[in-house]
Amino acid sequence: MLGLGSLELKEVARACGQPAYRGGQVARWLFERSELDLDRMSDLPRAFREQIAAAGYVPGELTFVTDRQTPDGTRKFLLASPRGGTLEAVLMPHWTDAEAVHTDLEGIRPERVTACISTQIGCAVGCAFCATGLSGFHRNVAAGEMIEQVVRMQGQSGYRISNVVFMGMGEPLLNYNDTLKAVRILNAEVGIGMRHLTISTAGIIPGIDRLADERLQLTLAVSLHTADDSLRDTLVPINRRYPLADLKAAMKQYVARTSRRITIECVLLSGVNDSPAQARELVRYLEGLNAHVNLIPYNATDAQFEPSRPAAVEAFREVIERSGRAVSVRVERGRQIDAACGQLRRRMAAGGEAIRKEHDGAGS
Ligand code: SAH
Ligand code: SF4
C-alpha cells in the first residue's frame, strides 16, 4: 500500500464503500506514523480494516533479515521481500556535536537523519569496483518497496528521516517510473523536502533528460569517477553507450532546466583515477558546468582495487579547490558493516556465518 498516495488510498476507501477521508487516515498511519500493522490503526472501523485486507492490500511486505550498527550510529538493514530477493538500506544519523560520535548516543537527537535506499536488486551497469554490479541484475524494486525502506527504518529507529538518497543498490534511472513515484510520495506524503532527496546515477542520459523535464528541485548526483573516456569505459561500462561529451551536454541541459547544481561523485581508487593530473583533467571537463565535486573514499570490496591514500585524496581535493570549484570529501561511515552498495547482501549470500563472526569482532 506504500506505493499509493493519499488520493489513491481515498479511492481504495471509496471502493470499500467508506467515506474518502478514511483513506486519508490510512495515509497518516502509514506515512506519518510509520505504522504498518492494520490492526493498530485504531481509529479505523474494524469492518474497513477487514475490507482492506480482503481486497488484498497489505500495508508493508518487507521483513528485517539483519540490522548492523557501528559506533557512529550508522545502521545497515537487510530486508527480505516476498517478491523475491533482499534489499539493502542504510540509516545515517548526523550529530551536531562531533564528540557524540565517541560517547553514548542514547538520548541525543541527531541533527539530521539520512536514509540510503535501494532501487534495484543487483544492477546491470556492472561498475568494476561495485559489489552490486558484480552480482548482476535481478529485478527492479517497486515504488512501495522504496517507501517501505524509509518507513521501516523510521519505525525501527524512532528517528524522523530528514533526507533520502537513492544510492543503495541499483541504478535509479534504469527504474525510472518507480523511482519518480517514490520521490513524489516521499515528498508529498512522508513530508521530505524535494531538496532533501538525491538521485544518484551512473550517467544514464535518457533518464537525465527525462528528469530534467520534470523540473523537480531534488539533487541529481552523477557518478563520474573520471574525465577520461577510455578509463571510464572500463570503470563504468555504460560510458561506451553514454560517453563523457554527451553526458556533459545532458548535465548542462539539466542545470539549465532545473536551475539546480549537480553533484559530481568520484570514488577514488589508488593509482587508478586519483592523480593530480587526473584531478586537472576533471577540472577541465567540468568547465562551464554548475557542479560541486564530492570525493568518496573507496570501500574495498575485493582485491582488484585499493582505496586512495589520504595524501592522494587531499592532493586531488586541493587541485579542484584551487580551480575555484566547490569540493568535499565524504566522511566514511559504516565500513565495518559493509555499508556500501551491495556489500552486505553479497556477503550474506556467500555465507552468513562468516559475516556474523567478522562483525562480532568489529566492536559494534
Ligand atoms: N547506480 C547509482 C546509484 C547507486 S551507487 C550510481 O552508480 O550512482 C551509489 C554510489 O556508490 C555511486 O557513486 C557509486 O559509485 C558508489 N560506490 C559503489 N561501490 C562503492 C564502493 N565499493 N565504495 C565506495 N563507493 C562505492
Ligand atoms: Fe550499478 Fe551504481 Fe554499482 Fe555502478 S556503482 S554497478 S551503476 S549500483
Side-chain angles (χ1 to χ4, degrees), residues 204-219:
I204 309 298
I205 292 178
I208 295 174
D209 290 346
R210 240 178 119 182
L211 195 59
D213 287 336
E214 314 261 1
R215 292 170 202 266
L216 297 173
Q217 289 299 294
L218 52 74
T219 299

Side-chain angles (χ1 to χ4, degrees), residues 119 123 125 127 129-132 166-172 200-203 221-225 265-267 296-301 330 340-341 343:
T119 56
C123 181
V125 178
C127 299
F129 51 83
C130 172
T132 304
F166 293 76
M167 284 191 191
M169 296 158 60
E171 171 47 55
S200 177
T201 178
V222 176
S223 300
L224 198 76
H225 311 308
E265 295 176 297
C266 293
V267 172
I296 306 174
Y298 170 59
N299 208 324
T301 51
R330 183 181 296 171
C341 241
Q343 288 187 36

Side-chain angles (χ1 to χ4, degrees), residues 8-281:
E8 290 157 304
L9 289 168
K10 284 177 181 164
E11 284 308 316
V12 171
R14 273 200 211 98
C16 292
Q18 297 281 345
Y21 77 85
R22 294 265 182 230
Q25 283 176 298
V26 175
R28 278 193 293 283
W29 280 109
L30 295 176
F31 302 119
E32 290 173 25
R33 299 187 222 174
S34 310
E35 181 55 70
L36 298 179
D37 182 349
L38 271 180
D39 290 333
R40 289 169 62 166
M41 300 184 184
S42 50
D43 57 0
L44 298 181
R46 177 188 296 218
F48 180 36
R49 282 182 264 144
E50 285 170 358
Q51 284 168 320
I52 293 174
Y57 291 107
V58 282
E61 34 185 277
L62 305 178
T63 45
F64 288 111
V65 182
T66 58
D67 168 359
R68 308 258 172 224
Q69 186 162 358
T70 46
D72 66 4
T74 300
R75 281 170 83 170
K76 175 148 187 167
F77 298 91
L78 201 59
L79 296 151
S81 165
R83 301 178 198 217
T86 49
L87 296 162
E88 288 182 6
V90 182
L91 186 77
M92 291 168 282
H94 302 270
W95 313 94
T96 344
D97 180 1
E99 301 250 332
V101 171
H102 303 292
T103 57
D104 185 7
L105 299 177
E106 283 297 312
I108 303 175
R109 300 304 299 175
E111 185 186 32
R112 80 202 141 79
V113 180
T114 301
C116 174
I117 63 170
S118 294
T119 56
Q120 296 184 314
I121 298 186
C123 181
V125 178
C127 299
F129 51 83
C130 172
T132 304
L134 292 175
S135 313
F137 175 72
H138 299 284
R139 71 170 172 91
N140 281 331
V141 170
E145 293 176 296
M146 293 182 210
I147 309 289
E148 191 169 345
Q149 294 170 63
V150 175
V151 167
R152 283 229 182 250
M153 288 198 288
Q154 200 154 257
Q156 184 84 357
S157 66
Y159 294 146
R160 182 146 288 279
I161 288 172
S162 55
N163 300 61
V164 175
V165 296
F166 293 76
M167 284 191 191
M169 296 158 60
E171 171 47 55
L173 297 186
L174 290 179
N175 182 14
Y176 190 93
N177 291 339
D178 280 78
T179 297
L180 262 283
K181 194 167 179 196
V183 160
R184 292 186 199 283
I185 293 177
L186 286 173
N187 178 238
E189 314 283 353
V190 184
I192 299 175
M194 266 301 169
R195 285 168 181 258
H196 293 168
L197 297 170
T198 300
I199 290 183
S200 177
T201 178
I204 309 298
I205 292 178
I208 295 174
D209 290 346
R210 240 178 119 182
L211 195 59
D213 287 336
E214 314 261 1
R215 292 170 202 266
L216 297 173
Q217 289 299 294
L218 52 74
T219 299
L220 177 67
V222 176
S223 300
L224 198 76
H225 311 308
T226 172
D228 170 347
D229 259 317
S230 61
L231 177 58
R232 197 162 191 274
D233 283 350
T234 65
L235 293 179
V236 187
I238 201 86
N239 192 66
R240 292 183 204 130
R241 189 131 128 235
Y242 306 120
L244 285 163
D246 298 353
L247 182 55
K248 182 166 179 189
M251 290 194 287
K252 283 194 84 152
Q253 176 168 278
Y254 185 89
V255 172
R257 297 239 161 114
T258 61
S259 304
R260 293 285 289 157
R261 177 169 83 163
I262 288 182
T263 299
I264 297 291
E265 295 176 297
C266 293
V267 172
L268 291 182
L269 308 163
S270 186
V272 176
N273 64 345
D274 65 346
S275 73
Q278 285 163 316
R280 287 192 289 275
E281 192 176 23

